[in-house]
Amino acid sequence: MKIIIDTQIFIWTISHPERLSKNTIDLLQENDIFLSQISLMEIAIKQRIGKLPELTIEIEELIEQLIKDNFQILPIKNEHIAAYNKIPLFEYHRDPFDRLLIATSFSEKIPLISSDKNLELYKDLVEIISN
């Protein structure tokens, strides 16, 4: 089965694997795991502005590590960007990175693993697997 992981799940696989549930660990080990390029962009931006002090690994090293761990990079496609307009905009959840991940999951018809409870808002559109 193909699964997309959100940015936080990827960060935890690198820096805090103890925060991953047993179910998430099993899914990561037993399936084809994809990380969207949007997550890499989010990490790079947040590292640059100091919002990820716990993640000291440079983005180049992260990319090498995800490939080494058999995760696949999912390029941002025009279809993902077009699907963004189909994603409801909730007043209390406007995170553009999360919304593009939802659009990607929607467009690709691939479940998304997340620890973000806000993503449950989109469960009618995409399959959200909670960590």
Side-chain angles (χ1 to χ4, degrees), residues 6-12 14-16 19 38-59 62 97:
D6 77 358
T7 309
Q8 188 64 61
I9 296 296
F10 176 63
I11 290 171
W12 286 350
I14 301 295
S15 63
H16 297 290
R19 293 184 182 174
I38 196 66
S39 291
L40 295 172
M41 180 176 277
E42 179 180 14
I43 291 168
I45 290 169
K46 288 184 176 180
Q47 281 183 323
R48 183 73 176 127
I49 62 175
K51 287 202 168 200
L52 288 175
E54 76 280 7
L55 190 64
T56 58
I57 302 170
E58 296 289 328
I59 195 74
L62 284 174
F97 296 111

Side-chain angles (χ1 to χ4, degrees), residues 7 10 15-17 19 24 28 39 42 45 56 58 65 68 70 72 76-78 85 97 101 107 113 121 123 125-126:
T7 309
F10 176 63
S15 63
H16 297 290
R19 293 184 182 174
T24 296
L28 293 175
S39 291
E42 179 180 14
I45 290 169
T56 58
E58 296 289 328
Q65 186 63 47
K68 184 176 168 185
N70 294 319
Q72 299 175 53
I76 300 169
K77 300 177 185 174
N78 292 337
N85 286 332
F97 296 111
L101 286 175
S107 176
I113 298 178
L121 295 167
K123 65 183 177 184
L125 288 176
V126 298

